Amino acid sequence: MKIGCNDKVILDQWHPISSVDVLQIGDIHNTVLLDTDISYQLDVNGDALAWLLFDNSKTLLPIRIFYGFLWVSLGTPPEFLFPFPEFDEPDRRNVATGVFGVNVSAGRTIENFLDMGHFPYVHSGILGEEPHTEVKEYDVEVSEERDEVLATSCKFYQPQAAVSSMEGMDVDYIYRVPHINCALLYKSSPVDEARLDVIIIFVQPMGEEWVRAHTGMCIIDDDSTAKEIRQFQQTIFGQDKPILENQYPKKLPLDSRIETPIRADKSAISYRRWLSKKGLQYGVIPSAI
Amino acid sequence: MLDDLKKIWYPIASSSDLPKRHVYHAQLLGREFAVWRADDGNVNVWENRCLHRGVRLSIGINEGTELRCQYHGWRYANRTAGCTYIPAHPADAPSRTICNNTYPMKEFMGMVWSGEETFGDPTYFENFDEFTVLRPIPINANFDLVKELVKSKYDKLNYLCKDEVNGAFSVTFERSETILFFVQPQDSNLSVLRGVANKALEGAKKISFLKMHNQILQNSRQEIEKISKTMKNNPMIAQISNVSVELSELPEKSEKNRQANLRVMVSEKIKTAEGIVSIKFEALDGQLPTFQPGAHIDLHLQSGLIRQYSLVNGPGETNFYNIGVKLEEESAGGSSYIHNNLRVGDVLACSTPRNNFPLRRDSVKTIFVAGGIGLTPLLAMAQALNVMNLNYEFHYFVKNAKHIAFSSILEKSKDKVFIHEGFSPSLTVEKLSRILSKRQKSMNLYVCGPGPMLEATRRVASELSWPDKSIHFEYFKNNNEIDDSSCFEIELARSALTLNVPSGKSVLEVLRENGIDLPSSCEQGACGTCKVNVIEGEVDHQDVYLNDSEKLEGNIMMTCVSRALSNRLILDI
């Protein structure tokens, strides 16, 4: 029985390993978490179980179902995961939009999710379009109480903001990072102006430079099929993946001297400082101090 | 050991690996390079990492004069590797100190050579004026092993093998044909074997020659890799060099005062129009710093005068600075000195380029209005938009055809350039009304020219409801008479200092006298270099840099000419 990681900060987290909707009762699956081989299944009662793959005694690991996903810990996890109240609103559709293997650290994956400046270049014609490249000033705070990074009043020009509109317009975004490897994006709903659609990314660190990104949407939309929703998300992620895999170093630099931020990177800077303060070592280049 | 290897020049690519607009991914001693040839032929060897978020520049786009990063569209200039544009902040000029790491480069014998810390010049081999480059062979093995085994392969074939400098070796064949071999250590277990023969071969002869050696080398590759499998070497780790502390933090603007830290030589002086000369400067040594469209330099003339001139250069034209100088009838000695006395070969001091007239590149369309010599900064901007395929109209007002300057540059974008000759002031206003009437959202207007024309353009644009923030202008000089009779107090918020500004002295002068180093350039309220933020107090604006709404807001002032209407100003210094 061997755990391939000794960073307590990351060991004590809940980590996503699968969306529940793809599991069949009784089937045993293997995956890797923090350089450690694990197995998991839904047993005949529908209860989730997980154990280390090479552990003959099959000692059970902490495992829970939150927000449509299985979460496992290799250490001592907190009792609850971060709040995500929209998940339980009755008129919303929760769609798991796919899991993507990416050869990069979890931190780089989250940072890409928080980034608006790349929309016109990486998601050209969908989330942005040249020459509308400006990232306008926005607000970032790190909430002590909720222990999360929050970016608000984010605006970015989107060429076709809604299916019904022919013109581009500024779209409002809110970003939450309530977990080292998880982020949620809130975006005005094309169906109901007063409410926000949520796009989620929960990253499973298989190794320090190797992740699976579990994605999903929690939206107010009766028209689109689940397939259409998945296809959209998969197009977007498919465009990000080659960029992420060409980042060097692959680990997220918490050492500020490695890269050059600009004002548009305020949320990324706050995220890096927040991770630094937690003392995270796994998948990052720690701050030199 | 690794440190010694870093000093050696190695071939890192064949010249044929760099076709037009391609970016080649090379590696040496564990370090990755992005290698690209600009349209002017210059080969750039850069660290393969955008300084912003670490994305490989080898997946970037070679635009001929600049390399664009795929992730956020940052643009880096040919030669200097300086960042010229950050699209996320289109209204700002990027800090010119953002510069990628570059490595030395030589191109000879059909190969591109580089090294991390090369010492002196590379060794040029005799009798290789003519050459044929062999197909490079990548081998999963240590470079020492590759050398040893390839040599013994040719030895067994009874050819004469000889060691050359820096780990190279040569193989000589019967008819005095020689192949030089170089083993490029990509990593401890990854090498590229590069050979070059001292004979220019063509056609079928070349093909059979290349085929023969390719076969010999492919065979030895298989043998070498079989042996190498049993050996273990730790990979080489390329150190990530730190960016400066200044660059590692969210940006703040700080530049030195009127310093002339560059030495340049006049390399070309030609008459480009009636009363206008085009002058090119080259660096005395090293590389000229990066500039952005709209930037100007302070030229320190031998006569002791300091003058500002906008750069005309297009993107990527980084091996010279090009300015246009009009002979002013009432010249105080600046333009007449340049016209009459300055010669090719003269050395002058100048400042690094400064950009207080940055170009937004997020407009659906940009309108340029140039009057006379005011075309110079706008010409640099138009060329930048050309490269990016962005939409613009360039209106150039001149006295008559003889006064059209830089026509060869204008020629390149004929369909976007409109030249208006011999318009009277009233006709000019009429024309401007027509040009500016087609305003849509997200359009920007850039104006530069003589004072009255500039005023007219601003007025017309304003009447046609162009918002202040979409009208960008640059005056040559401040024609306002400066009233410096007031006296007031300034409080410096960050330095916790209170100073008195007496009549007859500018805020800038008082700051300097008290050891506060503020950058400045024109020192007459036209260029915007000496601006500071005002926290409290009412400003007596006397400059021509700020627009009316900025003046009304009163958050910024030009310390060289503007003063206080209130008794006290609190400045963010």
Side-chain angles (χ1 to χ4, degrees):
Chain A
M1 164 162 163
K2 199 169 170 240
I3 290 179
C5 157
N6 54 20
D7 177 9
K8 199 168 153 44
V9 177
I10 198 82
L11 284 172
D12 286 350
Q13 302 288 327
W14 286 113
H15 295 284
I17 54 165
S18 174
S19 67
V20 175
D21 66 334
V22 297
L23 297 176
Q24 303 276 344
I25 296 278
D27 285 359
I28 295 178
H29 301 269
N30 296 332
T31 188
V32 180
L33 177 65
L34 305 174
D35 298 297
T36 308
D37 291 299
I38 61 169
S39 300
Y40 60 95
Q41 73 170 144
L42 286 183
D43 70 9
V44 285
N45 303 320
D47 289 333
L49 308 175
W51 59 94
L52 297 179
L53 174 66
F54 300 112
D55 176 15
N56 293 330
S57 65
K58 275 205 179 180
T59 310
L60 293 179
L61 296 167
I63 186 165
R64 296 278 282 278
I65 295 173
F66 297 110
Y67 314 133
F69 290 84
L70 283 191
W71 300 73
V72 169
S73 179
L74 299 181
T76 316
E79 189 176 349
F80 296 107
L81 198 62
F82 53 85
F84 175 17
E86 293 79 7
F87 183 83
D88 297 315
E89 289 175 7
D91 59 343
R92 283 182 183 262
R93 291 172 66 191
N94 287 296
V95 183
T97 47
V99 53
F100 305 90
V102 193
N103 283 307
V104 76
S105 60
R108 291 275 199 199
T109 314
I110 293 296
E111 221 175 75
N112 168 262
F113 188 80
L114 301 180
D115 183 274
M116 290 182 281
H118 74 290
F119 289 171
Y121 297 95
V122 181
H123 309 298
S124 183
I126 306 175
L127 297 180
E129 193 171 60
E130 279 188 285
H132 308 280
T133 54
E134 181 167 17
V135 177
K136 299 178 185 73
E137 288 293 335
Y138 58 90
D139 300 316
V140 187
E141 58 162 331
V142 177
S143 156
E144 295 282 336
E145 184 201 333
R146 293 191 312 279
D147 190 25
E148 71 174 52
V149 180
L150 183 69
T152 53
S153 312
C154 308
K155 275 185 195 308
F156 204 82
Y157 177 93
Q158 191 165 308
Q160 203 186 342
V163 186
S164 51
S165 70
M166 291 307 290
E167 264 198 338
M169 58 179 279
D170 273 350
V171 175
D172 298 304
Y173 298 90
I174 295 168
Y175 291 95
R176 280 178 65 199
V177 191
H179 178 291
I180 287 176
N181 295 331
C182 299
L184 298 91
L185 158 63
Y186 293 73
K187 183 177 178 179
S188 32
S189 160
V191 179
D192 182 348
E193 264 183 36
R195 295 173 71 191
L196 299 168
D197 281 342
V198 194
I199 299 171
I200 55 125
I201 184 164
F202 300 156
V203 181
Q204 170 190 354
M206 303 180 83
E208 289 195 271
E209 302 183 350
W210 178 37
V211 302
R212 295 211 303 163
H214 301 271
T215 64
M217 286 176 123
C218 170
I219 55 175
I220 305 144
D221 178 350
D222 296 326
D223 300 333
S224 310
T225 63
K227 191 178 167 190
E228 282 165 348
I229 296 169
R230 274 191 200 110
Q231 251 164 6
F232 175 78
Q233 213 45 31
Q234 293 187 2
T235 304
I236 298 296
F237 208 94
Q239 292 171 332
D240 282 321
K241 183 176 151 91
I243 298 288
L244 284 168
E245 294 188 335
N246 275 293
Q247 273 182 293
Y248 179 86
K250 285 183 183 295
K251 290 182 190 170
L252 184 71
L254 302 186
D255 180 348
S256 65
R257 297 286 300 278
I258 292 177
E259 291 173 354
T260 310
I262 53 171
R263 290 198 315 280
D265 301 320
K266 259 162 58 176
S267 56
I269 297 299
S270 297
Y271 173 59
R272 290 184 185 192
R273 288 193 186 135
W274 183 64
L275 295 181
S276 244
K277 217 172 145 194
K278 289 180 179 299
L280 181 71
Q281 302 284 317
Y282 191 84
V284 299
I285 298 172
S287 159
I289 305 171
Chain B
M1 157 92 177
L2 186 59
D3 285 346
D4 290 337
L5 296 179
K6 281 184 185 169
K7 297 196 176 103
I8 298 174
W9 286 90
Y10 284 105
I12 57 163
S14 302
S15 295
S16 59
D17 287 329
L18 307 177
K20 193 170 180 186
R21 304 282 173 106
H22 180 61
V23 188
Y24 178 79
H25 174 147
Q27 189 174 322
L28 185 65
L29 302 169
R31 164 125 21 228
E32 287 183 17
F33 300 122
V35 187
W36 63 285
R37 191 190 297 279
D39 287 357
D40 68 1
N42 180 54
V43 175
N44 295 282
V45 179
W46 295 355
E47 185 176 22
N48 194 12
R49 183 169 73 91
C50 175
L51 288 184
H52 177 218
R53 281 298 175 258
V55 168
R56 285 197 174 92
L57 291 174
S58 56
I59 64 164
I61 296 164
N62 175 351
E63 295 197 328
T65 54
E66 292 173 312
L67 188 68
R68 197 183 84 188
C69 178
Q70 282 276 20
Y71 199 3
H72 297 94
W74 286 28
R75 307 172 76 86
Y76 293 97
N78 179 24
R79 288 194 182 81
T80 62
C83 178
T84 59
Y85 189 58
I86 297 176
H89 299 303
D92 300 356
S95 156
R96 63 166 186 271
T97 42
I98 299 181
C99 198
N100 209 331
N101 295 321
T102 61
Y103 298 92
M105 191 289 301
K106 298 274 182 201
E107 190 178 13
F108 58 93
M109 292 202 302
M111 295 187 288
V112 174
W113 300 67
S114 188
E116 226 171 283
E117 296 160 13
T118 54
F119 186 76
D121 274 337
T123 306
Y124 297 104
F125 294 87
E126 277 177 27
N127 304 323
F128 274 83
D129 302 333
E130 292 191 331
F131 52 79
T132 299
V133 180
L134 267 53
R135 192 170 82 88
I137 311 286
I139 304 177
N140 286 311
N142 181 272
F143 60 99
D144 278 333
L145 184 72
V146 171
K147 180 186 168 185
E148 187 191 319
L149 296 182
V150 173
K151 256 174 79 182
S152 76
K153 183 89 182 175
Y154 279 104
D155 255 339
K156 278 181 208 152
L157 294 169
N158 283 327
Y159 296 124
L160 178 68
C161 293
K162 198 177 120 206
D163 276 332
E164 305 281 350
V165 291
N166 294 337
F169 62 97
S170 60
V171 180
T172 303
F173 304 89
E174 295 112 37
R175 284 155 291 141
S176 79
E177 221 165 65
T178 301
I179 298 181
L180 272 170
F181 281 106
F182 305 90
V183 187
Q184 170 196 350
Q186 287 192 308
D187 207 327
S188 54
N189 255 334
L190 199 59
S191 306
V192 180
L193 180 66
R194 296 182 181 276
V196 55
N198 63 343
K199 203 164 217 179
L201 296 167
E202 294 294 339
K205 251 190 171 169
K206 180 176 177 180
I207 290 170
S208 69
F209 176 83
L210 291 180
K211 265 189 177 167
M212 180 185 95
H213 287 285
N214 198 45
Q215 193 160 24
I216 299 171
L217 297 173
Q218 284 294 357
N219 287 341
S220 36
R221 172 189 180 166
Q222 283 165 11
E223 291 161 23
I224 296 166
E225 288 187 345
K226 219 177 268 171
I227 298 169
S228 170
K229 255 187 199 163
T230 62
M231 301 167 72
K232 228 185 143 129
N233 290 304
N234 290 327
M236 294 168 170
I237 309 280
Q239 283 295 323
I240 298 171
S241 50
N242 281 346
V243 297
S244 64
V245 173
E246 183 205 350
L247 288 186
S248 71
E249 285 160 5
L250 287 179
E252 255 184 292
K253 283 169 196 148
S254 79
E255 278 175 28
K256 294 269 170 258
N257 60 27
R258 265 182 143 179
Q259 284 174 351
N261 40 13
L262 290 179
R263 297 291 174 273
V264 292
M265 192 180 75
V266 180
S267 62
E268 187 187 285
K269 179 180 173 185
I270 48 172
K271 184 176 164 187
T272 170
E274 193 61 45
I276 300 176
V277 287
S278 157
I279 296 174
K280 282 187 180 171
F281 299 102
E282 282 177 7
L284 268 197
D285 48 34
Q287 173 65 53
L288 291 171
T290 310
F291 58 88
Q292 297 109 31
H296 73 267
I297 51 172
D298 293 351
L299 211 54
H300 293 237
L301 300 169
Q302 288 109 318
S303 56
L305 290 169
I306 305 175
R307 289 290 179 267
Q308 290 75 45
Y309 295 102
S310 297
L311 297 180
V312 181
N313 299 48
E317 292 178 345
T318 44
N319 49 350
F320 59 86
Y321 289 154
N322 191 187
I323 61 168
V325 180
K326 183 187 171 201
L327 180 61
E328 297 293 340
E329 280 161 23
E330 292 166 28
S331 168
S335 69
S336 66
Y337 179 86
I338 291 174
H339 272 256
N340 301 326
N341 303 83
L342 198 68
R343 284 162 208 278
V344 169
D346 282 4
V347 173
L348 297 180
C350 81
S351 69
T352 50
R354 213 179 258 130
N355 194 4
N356 300 316
F357 193 29
L359 170 67
R360 295 186 70 111
R361 305 190 209 185
D362 61 344
S363 313
V364 291
K365 188 171 190 179
T366 305
I367 306 286
F368 294 106
V369 174
I373 191 62
L375 101 151
T376 50
L378 306 184
L379 206 49
M381 294 180 181
Q383 292 177 86
L385 296 186
N386 270 346
V387 168
M388 297 172 73
N389 266 325
L390 291 172
N391 197 9
Y392 69 90
E393 273 177 28
F394 196 100
H395 295 274
Y396 182 19
F397 289 83
V398 288
K399 246 187 243 163
N400 58 50
K402 280 190 198 158
H403 288 85
I404 300 169
F406 297 103
S407 46
S408 59
I409 303 177
L410 292 167
E411 198 73 8
K412 285 185 214 157
S413 28
K414 255 192 209 148
D415 56 325
K416 297 197 176 90
V417 174
F418 304 90
I419 296 177
H420 311 293
E421 288 173 33
F423 278 46
S424 67
S426 59
L427 276 178
T428 304
V429 167
E430 204 176 291
K431 186 83 208 167
L432 285 168
S433 311
R434 230 170 300 151
I435 295 167
L436 299 175
S437 64
K438 294 171 278 181
R439 192 183 86 82
Q440 306 159 23
K441 231 183 121 192
S442 295
M443 272 173 63
N444 279 283
L445 168 65
Y446 288 81
V447 202
C448 188
M453 186 215 158
L454 223 153
E455 300 291 349
T457 314
R458 286 175 63 189
R459 202 177 50 243
V460 171
S462 196
E463 282 163 11
L464 292 167
S465 46
W466 286 68
D468 262 2
K469 66 175 196 306
S470 68
I471 309 171
H472 313 265
F473 51 85
E474 186 171 74
Y475 283 83
F476 304 147
K477 58 179 182 213
N478 188 352
N479 285 325
N480 301 337
E481 203 154 302
I482 307 299
D483 174 3
D484 62 359
S485 58
S486 61
C487 48
F488 53 97
E489 206 172 64
I490 50 172
E491 191 181 318
L492 312 183
R494 278 192 262 167
S495 343
L497 259 179
T498 304
L499 304 170
N500 280 311
V501 182
S503 58
K505 262 191 187 163
S506 70
V507 173
L508 183 68
E509 284 167 332
V510 171
L511 288 171
R512 291 243 170 96
E513 282 168 11
N514 288 278
I516 291 152
D517 199 13
L518 205 64
S520 73
S521 177
C522 76
E523 301 196 352
Q524 49 158 304
C527 77
T529 306
C530 65
K531 68 174 175 231
V532 299
N533 291 336
V534 180
I535 297 170
E536 206 182 292
E538 205 180 331
V539 183
D540 172 19
H541 294 287
Q542 303 199 41
D543 64 280
V544 290
Y545 179 78
L546 297 174
N547 66 30
D548 294 342
S549 37
E550 287 166 330
K551 283 182 181 170
L552 213 58
E553 279 166 20
N555 299 329
I556 306 173
M557 76 180 285
M558 299 302 136
T559 52
C560 62
V561 292
S562 297
R563 307 179 72 82
L565 290 173
S566 48
N567 293 330
R568 201 171 69 135
L569 291 176
I570 303 181
L571 305 179
D572 186 16
I573 308 179

